[in-house]
Amino acid sequence: MKLYGSYTSPFVRHCRIVLLETNTPYTFVETDQAGSAEKSPTKRVPFLEDGDYLYSDSSAIIKHLREKFGQTYCSLTAELNEICLVNTALEAAVNLFFLERDGIDMATSPYLQRQAARIESCLRELDNLPLPMAAPYNDAQLRLACFVGWAKFRKRLDFEKFENIESFFAGAQRYENFKVTEPYA
Ligand SMILES: N[C@@H](CCC(=O)N[C@@H](CS)C(=O)NCC(=O)O)C(=O)O
């Protein structure tokens, strides 16, 4: 099994945590944008090769790994709703990051301002959830931890007003599989 990705991607980090949690042997292939453009139809990382099959989205990769290991992925609708909330905020944040790197001025686009507002409102909603302060974590919670870790590393968001998320993240940083996938140390 081969996982293609970068060490800084939050989507890739979640896959790496699940690979550890399921004791799955794999090879990590560090992949840049040229590599993903060539090898995956989404032109993004992560993607996973298992035999002849290519999984080209982190959600499909994680569902595949969990089920192969006899576990489930977001079997409760509430958990699915929560991971969708995290993904919506995370994808908007990553897109804004790349657009700003390309020199796009956010102030000129109502759509991009809506994206920024969407990140805030999703985080407000997530901050109101009963988040665990220690492992075990479900996949929605692991995704949230990967998002917060990435946003802090890239200095994209201020979490001061999201006290519950801050406490949750402090707990996640003590979880071994989260710690060892920390690419930014
Ligand atoms: N829905 C995708 C999102 C993956 C994603 O956005 N990956 C980013 C890296 S963090 C990427 O490869 N972006 C490159 C680009 O958009 O050109 C997933 O869950 O796998």
Side-chain angles (χ1 to χ4, degrees):
M1 201 177 283
K2 275 189 193 164
L3 179 70
Y4 294 78
S6 69
Y7 284 107
T8 50
S9 164
F11 301 98
V12 175
R13 186 178 188 182
H14 189 177
C15 294
R16 291 166 62 221
I17 293 169
V18 176
L19 283 157
L20 287 171
E21 287 185 345
T22 54
N23 292 312
T24 308
Y26 72 104
T27 307
F28 188 74
V29 184
E30 232 179 316
T31 306
D32 59 12
Q33 286 184 0
S36 57
E38 189 195 322
K39 279 198 150 77
S40 171
T42 65
K43 304 187 186 303
R44 298 191 293 201
V45 291
F47 51 98
L48 179 91
E49 260 173 25
D50 189 6
D52 289 341
Y53 203 85
L54 186 83
Y55 298 86
S56 53
D57 190 281
S58 63
S59 297
I61 293 170
I62 291 163
K63 184 173 192 295
H64 173 63
L65 294 170
R66 294 251 182 249
E67 289 177 355
K68 211 169 169 156
F69 198 69
Q71 299 176 344
T72 55
Y73 171 76
C74 292
S75 55
L76 297 176
T77 309
E79 189 191 338
L80 181 62
N81 190 48
E82 284 159 25
I83 203 166
C84 288
L85 263 175
V86 182
N87 280 338
T88 298
L90 176 52
E91 295 220 2
V94 168
N95 287 341
L96 291 181
F97 169 73
F98 281 121
L99 286 165
E100 280 180 38
R101 270 218 317 210
D102 282 352
I104 305 291
D105 179 8
M106 287 241 322
T108 59
S109 163
Y111 176 68
L112 295 184
Q113 285 164 23
R114 221 160 52 243
Q115 292 275 47
R118 179 171 293 133
I119 297 167
E120 282 287 314
S121 54
C122 288
L123 283 172
R124 222 176 300 123
E125 186 76 11
L126 290 161
D127 197 52
N128 286 328
L129 294 174
L131 299 170
M133 295 300 141
Y137 299 108
N138 66 27
D139 279 307
Q141 293 152 357
L142 289 174
R143 180 64 57 120
L144 177 59
C146 292
F147 175 20
V148 177
W150 174 84
K152 283 177 181 279
F153 165 66
R154 294 289 189 197
K155 299 186 175 50
R156 298 300 298 175
L157 296 165
D158 180 6
F159 289 93
E160 218 165 75
K161 57 180 174 277
F162 303 119
E163 282 180 20
N164 189 26
I165 292 179
E166 280 282 31
S167 308
F168 156 78
F169 184 69
Q173 281 185 298
R174 291 188 287 272
Y175 174 45
E176 192 56 25
N177 292 329
F178 190 67
K179 265 199 305 203
V180 299
T181 54
E182 161 75 76
Y184 327 117

